[in-house]
Amino acid sequence: MYRVNDIFYSLQGEGFWTGTPMVFLRLAGCNLRCPFCDTDFSASREMTAPEIIEALDAAHPSLPGSRRICITGGEPALQLDAPLIEALHQANYTIHLETNGTRPIPAGIDWVTISPKEDFCLSGPAKGDGHPRADVVLPHADELKLVYTGGNDPEKWLSFPARHFFLQPCDPGEICPADGGDFRPSESVDTVSATLRYILSHPRWRLSLQTHKILGIA
């Protein structure tokens, strides 16, 4: 059984595949707690792999080129396993995964996006110094998408084995007010302008925007 937060059909709003129709499978739960998290995990339902496939098929039209699924969360690697990957491939889905990179993932995923949270996660298994652990353990990815607050250092990630590097401005308006913590961007910081300036002077990075929020879609 898998704990599912939501299944819906929309456009990918971020990163390399921005604007591409996909069906989204949002799995509940996360091993980290970030100050800008905008996902509510309070509601979830348990589903089997066949039930997930049935819901995915019902969520979007059977059109050529539309059988892409983005598995996200939370942290989907907490639940994602080989049987679900196999079931999705048997149903002819191309599988995209969005992960914080702190957990191993099963083989067979067609596109892996890592969004590292080492700079600002608020909870998780403690390191020896008592601070949260959000270390990336995955050895490579197709795409690395880093949230930029204007204060964290993107350059350390350019040595990570990824094919594409995206910088995405943090949205201070999405900060969870109950989280607390000492690393949260101020609402007075224009993170979009800061991100643009950074990319213009560090051109290995490309801009990622949350276009689904701009458009007002899921």
Side-chain angles (χ1 to χ4, degrees), residues 149-218:
T149 65
N152 50 321
D153 179 18
E155 290 308 286
K156 65 181 181 181
W157 291 106
L158 287 179
S159 61
F160 186 86
R163 296 163 57 191
H164 307 277
F165 293 88
F166 286 90
L167 209 59
Q168 182 165 297
C170 181
D171 181 357
E174 296 294 343
I175 292 171
C176 292
D179 278 335
D182 57 4
F183 194 106
R184 55 174 54 227
S186 167
E187 292 189 16
S188 64
V189 175
D190 183 352
T191 54
V192 173
S193 295
T195 304
L196 292 177
R197 288 194 299 270
Y198 193 92
I199 292 173
L200 287 170
S201 59
H202 300 81
R204 283 193 63 190
W205 292 95
R206 294 167 59 188
L207 178 66
S208 173
L209 295 174
Q210 293 178 305
T211 59
H212 52 294
K213 294 182 180 179
I214 297 171
L215 296 173
I217 61 176

Side-chain angles (χ1 to χ4, degrees), residues 17 44 53 76 81 83 89 93 106 124 150 158 169 180 185 194 196 199 208 216:
W17 293 93
S44 65
I53 299 297
D81 57 14
H89 277 152
Y93 279 100
L158 287 179
L196 292 177
I199 292 173
S208 173

Side-chain angles (χ1 to χ4, degrees), residues 34-170:
C34 299
F36 47 78
C37 180
D38 58 0
T39 303
D40 179 9
F41 301 116
S42 60
S44 65
R45 62 190 186 277
E46 292 192 346
M47 302 178 69
T48 64
E51 288 172 338
I52 289 174
I53 299 297
E54 182 179 1
L56 293 172
D57 288 345
H60 71 85
S62 297
L63 300 174
S66 68
R67 291 190 75 81
R68 290 186 181 273
I69 178 174
C70 179
I71 306 176
T72 183
E75 177 43 56
L78 295 173
Q79 300 188 63
L80 189 61
D81 57 14
L84 183 55
I85 294 296
E86 182 179 1
L88 291 168
H89 277 152
Q90 287 180 349
N92 296 317
Y93 279 100
T94 299
I95 302 171
H96 297 235
L97 175 68
E98 295 185 350
T99 175
N100 59 34
T102 64
R103 306 276 298 201
I105 58 175
I109 298 169
D110 301 294
W111 183 274
V112 176
T113 299
I114 288 181
S115 183
K117 302 299 192 298
E118 291 185 7
D119 292 332
F120 25 63
C121 80
L122 296 179
S123 64
K127 297 189 288 189
D129 58 7
H131 291 291
R133 176 177 295 279
D135 303 350
V136 169
V137 301
L138 295 185
H140 55 81
D142 296 285
E143 169 186 19
L144 187 143
K145 184 179 62 183
L146 184 67
V147 174
Y148 187 56
T149 65
N152 50 321
D153 179 18
E155 290 308 286
K156 65 181 181 181
W157 291 106
L158 287 179
S159 61
F160 186 86
R163 296 163 57 191
H164 307 277
F165 293 88
F166 286 90
L167 209 59
Q168 182 165 297
C170 181

